[in-house]
Coordinates of all heavy atoms in Angstrom, one line a residue:
M70 N 103.9 111.1 93.9 CA 102.9 111.1 92.9 C 103.3 112.2 91.8 O 103.5 113.3 92.2 CB 101.5 111.4 93.5 CG 100.4 111.4 92.4 SD 98.7 111.4 93.1 CE 98.4 113.2 93.1
S71 N 103.3 111.8 90.6 CA 103.6 112.7 89.5 C 102.5 113.7 89.4 O 101.3 113.5 89.8 CB 103.7 111.9 88.2 OG 103.6 112.8 87.1
Q72 N 102.8 114.9 89.0 CA 101.8 116.0 88.9 C 100.7 115.6 87.9 O 99.6 116.1 88.0 CB 102.5 117.3 88.3 CG 102.4 118.4 89.3 CD 103.1 119.6 88.7 OE1 103.9 119.6 87.8 NE2 102.9 120.7 89.4
N73 N 100.9 114.8 86.9 CA 99.9 114.4 86.0 C 99.1 113.2 86.3 O 98.2 112.8 85.6 CB 100.6 114.2 84.6 CG 101.1 115.5 84.0 OD1 100.6 116.6 84.3 ND2 102.2 115.4 83.3
N74 N 99.5 112.6 87.5 CA 98.7 111.4 87.9 C 97.4 111.7 88.5 O 97.3 112.6 89.3 CB 99.5 110.5 88.9 CG 100.6 109.7 88.2 OD1 100.6 109.5 87.0 ND2 101.5 109.1 89.0
V75 N 96.4 111.0 88.2 CA 95.1 111.0 89.0 C 95.3 110.0 90.1 O 96.1 109.1 90.0 CB 93.9 110.8 88.1 CG1 93.7 111.9 87.1 CG2 93.9 109.4 87.5
M76 N 94.5 110.2 91.1 CA 94.6 109.2 92.3 C 93.2 108.9 92.8 O 92.3 109.8 92.8 CB 95.4 109.9 93.4 CG 95.6 108.9 94.6 SD 96.4 109.8 96.0 CE 95.2 110.9 96.5
L77 N 93.0 107.7 93.2 CA 91.8 107.2 93.8 C 92.2 106.4 95.0 O 93.1 105.5 94.9 CB 91.0 106.3 92.8 CG 89.7 105.8 93.2 CD1 88.7 107.0 93.4 CD2 89.1 104.9 92.1
V78 N 91.6 106.7 96.2 CA 91.9 105.9 97.4 C 90.6 105.3 97.9 O 89.6 106.0 98.1 CB 92.5 106.8 98.5 CG1 92.8 106.0 99.7 CG2 93.8 107.5 98.0
L79 N 90.6 104.0 98.0 CA 89.4 103.2 98.4 C 89.7 102.5 99.7 O 90.8 102.2 100.0 CB 89.0 102.2 97.4 CG 88.9 102.7 95.9 CD1 88.6 101.5 95.0 CD2 87.7 103.7 95.8
Q80 N 88.6 102.2 100.5 CA 88.7 101.4 101.7 C 89.1 100.0 101.2 O 88.6 99.5 100.2 CB 87.4 101.3 102.4 CG 86.9 102.6 102.9 CD 85.5 102.5 103.5 OE1 85.1 101.4 104.1 NE2 84.7 103.5 103.4
A81 N 89.9 99.3 102.0 CA 90.3 98.0 101.6 C 89.3 97.0 102.2 O 89.4 96.6 103.4 CB 91.7 97.7 102.2
N82 N 88.2 96.7 101.4 CA 87.2 95.8 101.9 C 86.6 95.0 100.7 O 87.1 95.2 99.6 CB 86.1 96.6 102.6 CG 85.4 97.6 101.8 OD1 85.3 97.5 100.6 ND2 84.9 98.6 102.4
E83 N 85.7 94.2 101.0 CA 85.1 93.3 99.9 C 84.4 94.0 98.8 O 84.4 93.6 97.7 CB 84.2 92.2 100.5 CG 84.9 91.2 101.4 CD 86.0 90.4 100.6 OE1 85.8 90.0 99.5 OE2 87.1 90.3 101.2
E84 N 83.8 95.2 99.1 CA 83.1 96.0 98.1 C 84.1 96.6 97.1 O 83.8 96.8 95.9 CB 82.2 97.0 98.7 CG 81.0 96.5 99.4 CD 81.3 95.9 100.8 OE1 82.3 96.2 101.4 OE2 80.5 95.0 101.2
A85 N 85.3 97.0 97.6 CA 86.3 97.6 96.8 C 87.1 96.7 95.9 O 87.6 97.1 94.8 CB 87.3 98.4 97.7
R86 N 87.2 95.4 96.3 CA 88.0 94.5 95.5 C 87.6 94.4 94.0 O 88.4 94.4 93.1 CB 88.1 93.1 96.2 CG 88.8 93.2 97.5 CD 89.0 91.9 98.1 NE 89.1 91.9 99.6 CZ 89.9 92.6 100.3 NH1 90.7 93.4 99.8 NH2 89.9 92.5 101.6
P87 N 86.3 94.2 93.7 CA 85.9 94.1 92.3 C 86.2 95.4 91.6 O 86.5 95.4 90.3 CB 84.4 93.8 92.3 CG 84.0 93.9 93.7 CD 85.2 93.9 94.6
M88 N 86.1 96.6 92.3 CA 86.4 97.8 91.6 C 87.9 97.9 91.2 O 88.2 98.4 90.2 CB 86.0 99.0 92.6 CG 84.6 99.1 92.8 SD 84.2 100.5 94.0 CE 82.5 100.0 94.5
V89 N 88.7 97.4 92.1 CA 90.1 97.4 91.8 C 90.4 96.5 90.6 O 91.2 96.9 89.7 CB 91.0 97.0 93.0 CG1 92.4 96.8 92.7 CG2 90.8 98.0 94.2
E90 N 89.7 95.4 90.6 CA 89.9 94.4 89.4 C 89.5 95.1 88.1 O 90.1 95.0 87.1 CB 89.1 93.2 89.7 CG 89.3 92.1 88.7 CD 88.5 90.8 89.0 OE1 88.1 90.6 90.1 OE2 88.2 90.1 88.0
A91 N 88.3 95.8 88.2 CA 87.8 96.5 87.0 C 88.8 97.6 86.6 O 89.1 97.8 85.4 CB 86.4 97.1 87.3
I92 N 89.3 98.3 87.5 CA 90.3 99.4 87.2 C 91.5 98.9 86.5 O 92.0 99.4 85.5 CB 90.6 100.2 88.5 CG1 89.4 101.0 89.0 CG2 91.9 101.1 88.3 CD1 89.6 101.6 90.4
Q93 N 92.0 97.8 87.1 CA 93.2 97.2 86.5 C 92.9 96.6 85.1 O 93.8 96.7 84.2 CB 93.7 96.0 87.4 CG 94.3 96.6 88.7 CD 94.8 95.4 89.6 OE1 94.1 94.5 89.9 NE2 96.1 95.5 90.0
K94 N 91.7 96.1 84.9 CA 91.4 95.6 83.5 C 91.3 96.7 82.5 O 91.7 96.6 81.4 CB 90.1 94.8 83.6 CG 89.7 94.1 82.4 CD 88.5 93.2 82.6 CE 88.1 92.5 81.4 NZ 87.0 91.6 81.6
D95 N 90.7 97.9 82.9 CA 90.4 99.0 82.0 C 91.5 100.0 81.9 O 91.4 100.9 81.1 CB 89.1 99.6 82.3 CG 87.9 98.7 82.1 OD1 88.0 97.8 81.2 OD2 86.8 98.9 82.7
N96 N 92.4 100.0 82.8 CA 93.5 101.0 82.9 C 94.8 100.3 83.1 O 95.3 100.2 84.2 CB 93.2 102.0 84.1 CG 91.9 102.6 84.0 OD1 91.7 103.7 83.4 ND2 90.9 102.0 84.6
Q97 N 95.4 99.9 82.0 CA 96.7 99.1 82.1 C 97.8 99.8 82.7 O 98.8 99.2 83.2 CB 97.0 98.6 80.7 CG 96.0 97.7 80.2 CD 96.4 97.0 78.9 OE1 97.4 97.3 78.3 NE2 95.5 96.1 78.4
D98 N 97.8 101.2 82.7 CA 98.9 101.9 83.4 C 98.7 102.3 84.8 O 99.5 102.9 85.5 CB 99.1 103.3 82.6 CG 99.7 103.0 81.2 OD1 100.4 102.0 81.0 OD2 99.4 103.8 80.3
A99 N 97.5 101.8 85.4 CA 97.2 102.1 86.8 C 98.2 101.3 87.7 O 98.5 100.2 87.4 CB 95.8 101.8 87.1
I100 N 98.5 102.0 88.8 CA 99.4 101.4 89.8 C 98.6 101.2 91.1 O 98.0 102.2 91.6 CB 100.7 102.2 90.1 CG1 101.5 102.3 88.8 CG2 101.5 101.7 91.2 CD1 102.6 103.3 88.8
V101 N 98.5 100.0 91.6 CA 97.7 99.7 92.7 C 98.6 99.5 93.9 O 99.5 98.6 93.8 CB 96.8 98.5 92.5 CG1 96.0 98.1 93.8 CG2 95.8 98.8 91.4
E102 N 98.4 100.2 95.0 CA 99.2 100.0 96.2 C 98.2 99.6 97.3 O 97.4 100.3 97.7 CB 99.9 101.3 96.6 CG 100.9 101.8 95.6 CD 101.4 103.2 96.0 OE1 101.8 103.4 97.2 OE2 101.4 104.1 95.1
N103 N 98.4 98.3 97.8 CA 97.6 97.8 98.9 C 98.2 98.2 100.2 O 99.4 97.9 100.4 CB 97.4 96.3 98.8 CG 96.6 95.9 97.6 OD1 95.4 96.2 97.6 ND2 97.2 95.3 96.6
Q104 N 97.4 98.8 101.1 CA 97.9 99.2 102.4 C 96.9 98.6 103.4 O 95.9 98.1 103.0 CB 98.0 100.7 102.5 CG 99.0 101.2 101.5 CD 99.3 102.7 101.6 OE1 98.9 103.3 102.5 NE2 100.0 103.2 100.6
P105 N 97.2 98.6 104.7 CA 96.4 97.8 105.7 C 94.9 98.2 105.6 O 94.1 97.3 105.7 CB 97.0 98.2 107.0 CG 98.4 98.5 106.7 CD 98.4 99.1 105.3
A106 N 94.5 99.4 105.5 CA 93.1 99.8 105.5 C 92.6 100.5 104.3 O 91.5 100.9 104.2 CB 92.8 100.7 106.7
M107 N 93.5 100.6 103.3 CA 93.1 101.3 102.1 C 93.9 100.8 100.9 O 94.9 100.2 101.0 CB 93.3 102.8 102.2 CG 94.8 103.2 102.3 SD 94.9 105.0 102.6 CE 96.6 105.3 102.2
I108 N 93.3 101.1 99.7 CA 94.0 100.8 98.4 C 94.1 102.1 97.7 O 93.2 102.8 97.4 CB 93.1 99.8 97.6 CG1 92.8 98.6 98.4 CG2 93.8 99.5 96.3 CD1 91.7 97.7 97.9
K109 N 95.4 102.4 97.3 CA 95.7 103.7 96.6 C 96.0 103.3 95.2 O 96.8 102.4 94.9 CB 96.9 104.4 97.2 CG 97.3 105.6 96.5 CD 98.5 106.3 97.2 CE 99.0 107.4 96.4 NZ 100.3 107.9 97.0
I110 N 95.3 104.0 94.2 CA 95.4 103.7 92.8 C 95.8 105.0 92.1 O 95.1 106.0 92.3 CB 94.1 103.2 92.2 CG1 93.7 101.9 93.0 CG2 94.3 102.8 90.7 CD1 92.2 101.6 92.9
T111 N 96.9 105.0 91.4 CA 97.3 106.2 90.6 C 97.4 105.8 89.1 O 97.6 104.6 88.8 CB 98.6 106.7 91.1 OG1 99.6 105.7 91.0 CG2 98.6 107.3 92.5
S112 N 97.2 106.7 88.3 CA 97.2 106.5 86.8 C 97.6 107.8 86.1 O 97.2 108.9 86.5 CB 95.9 106.0 86.3 OG 95.9 105.7 85.0
P113 N 98.4 107.7 85.1 CA 98.8 108.9 84.4 C 97.7 109.6 83.6 O 97.1 109.0 82.7 CB 99.9 108.5 83.4 CG 99.8 107.0 83.3 CD 99.1 106.5 84.6
G114 N 97.2 110.7 84.1 CA 96.3 111.5 83.4 C 94.8 111.2 83.5 O 94.0 112.1 83.5
K115 N 94.5 109.9 83.5 CA 93.0 109.5 83.4 C 92.9 108.1 84.0 O 93.7 107.2 83.9 CB 92.6 109.5 82.0 CG 91.1 109.2 81.8 CD 90.8 109.4 80.3 CE 89.3 109.1 80.0 NZ 89.0 109.2 78.6
L116 N 91.7 107.9 84.7 CA 91.4 106.6 85.2 C 89.9 106.4 85.0 O 89.1 107.3 85.4 CB 91.8 106.5 86.7 CG 91.6 105.2 87.4 CD1 92.8 105.0 88.4 CD2 90.3 105.0 88.0
V117 N 89.5 105.3 84.5 CA 88.1 105.0 84.2 C 87.6 103.7 84.8 O 88.3 102.7 84.8 CB 87.8 104.9 82.7 CG1 86.4 104.6 82.3 CG2 88.3 106.2 81.9
I118 N 86.5 103.8 85.5 CA 85.8 102.6 85.9 C 84.5 102.4 85.1 O 83.6 103.3 85.2 CB 85.4 102.6 87.4 CG1 86.6 102.9 88.3 CG2 84.8 101.3 87.8 CD1 86.3 103.1 89.7
K119 N 84.5 101.4 84.2 CA 83.4 101.2 83.3 C 82.3 100.3 84.0 O 82.7 99.3 84.6 CB 83.8 100.5 82.0 CG 84.8 101.4 81.2 CD 85.2 100.6 80.0 CE 86.2 101.4 79.2 NZ 86.7 100.6 78.0
A120 N 81.1 100.8 84.0 CA 80.0 100.0 84.6 C 79.9 98.6 83.9 O 79.7 97.6 84.6 CB 78.7 100.7 84.4
E121 N 80.1 98.5 82.6 CA 80.1 97.2 81.9 C 81.1 96.3 82.5 O 80.8 95.1 82.7 CB 80.4 97.5 80.4 CG 80.4 96.3 79.6 CD 80.7 96.6 78.1 OE1 81.0 97.7 77.8 OE2 80.6 95.6 77.3
T122 N 82.3 96.7 82.7 CA 83.4 95.9 83.3 C 83.0 95.4 84.7 O 83.2 94.3 85.1 CB 84.7 96.6 83.3 OG1 85.0 97.0 82.0 CG2 85.8 95.7 83.8
M123 N 82.5 96.4 85.5 CA 82.1 96.0 86.9 C 81.0 95.0 86.8 O 81.0 94.0 87.6 CB 81.6 97.3 87.6 CG 82.7 98.1 88.3 SD 83.6 97.2 89.6 CE 82.3 96.9 90.8
E124 N 80.1 95.1 86.0 CA 78.9 94.2 85.9 C 79.4 92.8 85.5 O 78.9 91.8 85.9 CB 77.9 94.7 84.9 CG 77.2 96.0 85.5 CD 76.3 96.7 84.6 OE1 76.2 96.4 83.4 OE2 75.7 97.7 85.0
E125 N 80.4 92.7 84.6 CA 81.0 91.4 84.2 C 81.6 90.7 85.4 O 81.5 89.5 85.6 CB 82.0 91.6 83.1 CG 81.5 92.0 81.8 CD 82.6 92.3 80.8 OE1 83.8 92.0 81.1 OE2 82.3 92.8 79.7
I126 N 82.3 91.5 86.3 CA 83.0 91.0 87.4 C 82.0 90.6 88.5 O 82.2 89.5 89.1 CB 84.0 92.0 87.9 CG1 85.1 92.2 86.9 CG2 84.6 91.5 89.3 CD1 86.1 93.3 87.1
I127 N 81.1 91.4 88.9 CA 80.2 91.1 90.0 C 78.9 90.4 89.6 O 78.2 89.9 90.5 CB 79.9 92.4 90.8 CG1 79.1 93.4 89.9 CG2 81.1 93.0 91.4 CD1 78.6 94.7 90.7
G128 N 78.6 90.3 88.3 CA 77.4 89.5 87.9 C 76.1 90.2 88.2 O 75.1 89.5 88.3
R129 N 76.1 91.5 88.3 CA 74.8 92.2 88.5 C 75.0 93.6 88.0 O 76.1 94.0 87.7 CB 74.4 92.2 89.9 CG 75.4 93.0 90.8 CD 74.8 93.2 92.2 NE 75.7 93.9 93.1 CZ 76.0 95.2 93.2 NH1 75.4 96.0 92.4 NH2 76.9 95.7 94.0
E130 N 73.9 94.4 87.9 CA 74.0 95.8 87.5 C 74.8 96.5 88.5 O 74.8 96.2 89.7 CB 72.6 96.4 87.3 CG 71.9 95.9 86.1 CD 70.6 96.7 85.9 OE1 70.4 97.8 86.5 OE2 69.7 96.2 85.2
W131 N 75.6 97.5 88.1 CA 76.4 98.3 89.0 C 76.2 99.8 88.6 O 76.3 100.2 87.5 CB 77.9 98.0 88.8 CG 78.8 98.7 89.7 CD1 79.0 98.5 91.0 CD2 79.7 99.8 89.4 NE1 79.9 99.4 91.6 CE2 80.3 100.2 90.6 CE3 79.9 100.5 88.2 CZ2 81.2 101.3 90.6 CZ3 80.9 101.6 88.2 CH2 81.5 101.9 89.4
D132 N 75.9 100.6 89.7 CA 75.7 102.0 89.5 C 77.0 102.7 90.0 O 77.5 102.4 91.1 CB 74.6 102.5 90.5 CG 74.2 104.0 90.3 OD1 75.1 104.7 89.9 OD2 73.1 104.3 90.6
P133 N 77.6 103.5 89.1 CA 78.9 104.2 89.5 C 78.8 104.9 90.8 O 79.9 105.1 91.4 CB 79.1 105.1 88.3 CG 78.5 104.4 87.1 CD 77.2 103.8 87.7
Q134 N 77.6 105.3 91.3 CA 77.6 106.0 92.6 C 77.9 105.0 93.7 O 78.2 105.5 94.8 CB 76.2 106.6 92.8 CG 75.9 107.7 91.8 CD 74.6 108.5 92.1 OE1 73.8 108.0 92.9 NE2 74.5 109.6 91.5
E135 N 77.9 103.7 93.4 CA 78.3 102.7 94.5 C 79.8 102.9 94.9 O 80.2 102.5 96.0 CB 78.1 101.3 94.0 CG 76.6 100.9 93.8 CD 76.4 99.5 93.4 OE1 77.1 98.6 93.9 OE2 75.6 99.3 92.4
L136 N 80.5 103.5 94.0 CA 81.9 103.8 94.3 C 82.0 104.7 95.6 O 83.0 104.5 96.4 CB 82.6 104.5 93.1 CG 84.0 105.0 93.4 CD1 85.0 103.8 93.4 CD2 84.4 106.0 92.3
Q137 N 81.1 105.6 95.8 CA 81.1 106.5 96.9 C 81.0 105.8 98.3 O 81.4 106.3 99.3 CB 80.1 107.5 96.8 CG 80.3 108.4 95.5 CD 79.2 109.4 95.3 OE1 78.5 109.7 96.1 NE2 79.2 109.9 94.1
L138 N 80.5 104.5 98.2 CA 80.4 103.8 99.5 C 81.8 103.3 100.0 O 81.9 103.1 101.2 CB 79.6 102.5 99.3 CG 78.1 102.8 98.9 CD1 77.4 101.5 98.5 CD2 77.4 103.5 100.0
V139 N 82.8 103.3 99.2 CA 84.1 102.9 99.6 C 85.2 103.9 99.3 O 86.4 103.7 99.6 CB 84.6 101.5 98.9 CG1 83.6 100.4 99.4 CG2 84.6 101.7 97.4
L140 N 84.8 105.1 98.8 CA 85.7 106.1 98.4 C 86.3 106.9 99.7 O 85.5 107.3 100.5 CB 85.0 107.1 97.5 CG 85.9 108.3 97.1 CD1 87.1 107.9 96.2 CD2 85.0 109.3 96.3
I141 N 87.6 107.0 99.8 CA 88.2 107.7 100.9 C 88.6 109.1 100.3 O 88.4 110.1 100.9 CB 89.5 107.0 101.4 CG1 89.0 105.7 102.1 CG2 90.2 107.9 102.4 CD1 90.2 104.8 102.6
S142 N 89.3 109.1 99.1 CA 89.8 110.4 98.6 C 90.1 110.2 97.1 O 90.2 109.1 96.6 CB 91.1 110.8 99.3 OG 91.5 112.0 98.8
L143 N 90.2 111.3 96.4 CA 90.6 111.2 95.0 C 91.3 112.5 94.6 O 91.1 113.6 95.3 CB 89.4 111.0 94.1 CG 88.2 112.0 94.0 CD1 88.5 113.2 93.1 CD2 87.0 111.3 93.6
A144 N 92.1 112.5 93.5 CA 92.7 113.7 93.0 C 92.5 113.7 91.5 O 92.9 112.8 90.8 CB 94.2 113.6 93.3
G145 N 91.8 114.8 91.0 CA 91.5 114.9 89.6 C 90.1 115.4 89.5 O 89.4 115.5 90.4
N146 N 89.7 115.7 88.2 CA 88.4 116.1 87.9 C 87.5 114.9 87.8 O 88.0 113.9 87.3 CB 88.3 117.0 86.6 CG 89.1 118.2 86.8 OD1 89.0 119.0 87.7 ND2 90.0 118.4 85.8
V147 N 86.2 115.0 88.1 CA 85.3 113.8 88.0 C 84.3 114.0 86.9 O 83.7 115.0 86.8 CB 84.6 113.6 89.4 CG1 83.6 112.4 89.3 CG2 85.6 113.2 90.5
D148 N 84.2 112.9 86.1 CA 83.1 112.8 85.1 C 82.3 111.5 85.5 O 82.9 110.5 85.3 CB 83.6 112.8 83.7 CG 82.5 112.7 82.7 OD1 81.4 113.0 83.0 OD2 82.8 112.3 81.6
E149 N 81.1 111.6 85.9 CA 80.3 110.5 86.3 C 79.0 110.4 85.5 O 78.3 111.4 85.4 CB 80.1 110.5 87.8 CG 79.3 109.4 88.3 CD 79.1 109.5 89.8 OE1 79.5 110.5 90.4 OE2 78.5 108.6 90.4
D150 N 78.7 109.2 85.0 CA 77.5 109.0 84.3 C 77.0 107.6 84.6 O 77.7 106.9 85.3 CB 77.7 109.2 82.8 CG 76.4 109.6 82.1 OD1 75.3 109.4 82.6 OD2 76.5 110.1 80.9
Y151 N 75.9 107.2 84.0 CA 75.4 105.8 84.3 C 76.3 104.7 83.9 O 76.2 103.6 84.4 CB 74.0 105.7 83.7 CG 74.0 105.6 82.2 CD1 74.1 104.4 81.5 CD2 74.0 106.8 81.4 CE1 74.2 104.3 80.1 CE2 74.1 106.7 80.0 CZ 74.1 105.5 79.4 OH 74.2 105.5 78.1
D152 N 77.2 105.0 82.9 CA 78.0 103.9 82.4 C 79.5 104.0 82.7 O 80.3 103.2 82.3 CB 77.9 103.8 80.9 CG 78.4 105.0 80.2 OD1 78.5 106.1 80.8 OD2 78.5 104.9 78.9
H153 N 79.9 105.0 83.5 CA 81.3 105.2 83.9 C 81.5 106.1 85.0 O 80.7 107.0 85.3 CB 82.2 105.6 82.7 CG 81.9 107.1 82.4 ND1 80.9 107.5 81.5 CD2 82.5 108.2 82.8 CE1 80.9 108.8 81.4 NE2 81.9 109.3 82.2
F154 N 82.7 106.0 85.7 CA 83.2 107.0 86.7 C 84.6 107.2 86.2 O 85.4 106.3 86.2 CB 83.1 106.4 88.1 CG 83.5 107.4 89.1 CD1 82.6 108.1 89.8 CD2 84.9 107.6 89.4 CE1 83.0 109.0 90.8 CE2 85.3 108.5 90.4 CZ 84.3 109.2 91.1
T155 N 84.9 108.5 85.8 CA 86.2 108.8 85.3 C 86.8 110.0 86.1 O 86.1 110.9 86.5 CB 86.0 109.3 83.8 OG1 85.4 108.3 83.1 CG2 87.3 109.6 83.2
I156 N 88.1 109.8 86.4 CA 88.9 110.9 87.0 C 89.9 111.3 85.9 O 90.6 110.4 85.3 CB 89.6 110.4 88.3 CG1 88.6 109.8 89.2 CG2 90.3 111.5 88.9 CD1 89.2 109.1 90.4
Y157 N 90.1 112.6 85.8 CA 91.1 113.0 84.7 C 91.6 114.4 85.1 O 91.1 115.1 85.9 CB 90.4 113.1 83.4 CG 89.3 114.1 83.3 CD1 89.5 115.4 82.8 CD2 88.0 113.9 83.9 CE1 88.5 116.4 82.8 CE2 87.0 114.8 83.9 CZ 87.3 116.1 83.3 OH 86.3 117.0 83.4
W158 N 92.7 114.7 84.4 CA 93.2 116.1 84.5 C 93.1 116.7 83.1 O 93.2 116.0 82.1 CB 94.7 116.1 84.8 CG 95.0 115.8 86.3 CD1 95.8 114.7 86.7 CD2 94.6 116.4 87.4 NE1 95.8 114.7 88.1 CE2 95.1 115.7 88.5 CE3 93.8 117.6 87.7 CZ2 94.8 116.2 89.8 CZ3 93.5 117.9 89.0 CH2 94.1 117.3 90.0
D159 N 92.7 118.0 83.0 CA 92.5 118.7 81.8 C 93.8 119.0 81.0 O 93.8 119.1 79.8 CB 91.8 120.0 82.0 CG 90.3 119.8 82.2 OD1 89.8 118.8 81.8 OD2 89.7 120.7 82.9
N160 N 95.0 119.1 81.7 CA 96.2 119.5 81.1 C 96.8 118.5 80.2 O 96.6 117.4 80.1 CB 97.2 120.0 82.1 CG 97.4 119.0 83.2 OD1 97.0 117.9 83.1 ND2 98.0 119.5 84.3

């Protein structure tokens, strides 16, 4: 992992799949690695999950705190609000 990459690791289950789809849609530089029980996502400098994108995919309102139900680990600073979950590095 590059020093400037942020990282998000999710459980590999049905709840995480739309999140991965939203991440890929909103973060074109994100790299997704599927492993048997987890999904590792890295992105240079910043990674955003937009509630609007999630809601388009799942067809209902989505609270960014729902991410915590499938979150295994992350690397980076977190900025979370009602409309996004963002991981970033300040440098």
Side-chain angles (χ1 to χ4, degrees):
M70 183 170 92
S71 167
Q72 239 178 351
N73 294 326
N74 280 350
V75 296
M76 180 186 71
L77 184 65
V78 181
L79 306 175
Q80 297 175 36
N82 60 29
E83 290 303 316
E84 289 78 22
R86 293 188 208 306
M88 292 179 201
V89 173
E90 184 178 339
I92 289 168
Q93 290 179 305
K94 187 172 182 179
D95 292 334
N96 303 273
Q97 295 188 357
D98 293 330
I100 297 171
V101 176
E102 298 175 46
N103 290 293
Q104 300 185 9
M107 66 181 196
I108 303 165
K109 179 180 173 185
I110 305 157
T111 56
S112 182
K115 184 177 179 181
L116 188 144
V117 178
I118 304 173
K119 296 178 184 173
E121 180 181 6
T122 304
M123 275 297 297
E124 291 169 357
E125 287 174 10
I126 293 169
I127 62 176
R129 65 168 176 83
E130 289 187 18
W131 183 75
D132 184 333
Q134 292 187 347
E135 292 180 46
L136 174 71
Q137 296 175 20
L138 298 173
V139 296
L140 179 64
I141 296 173
S142 183
L143 61 83
N146 299 309
V147 174
D148 178 20
E149 182 180 2
D150 205 343
Y151 68 93
D152 65 344
H153 72 274
F154 185 95
T155 303
I156 305 170
Y157 65 97
W158 289 120
D159 282 334
N160 52 12

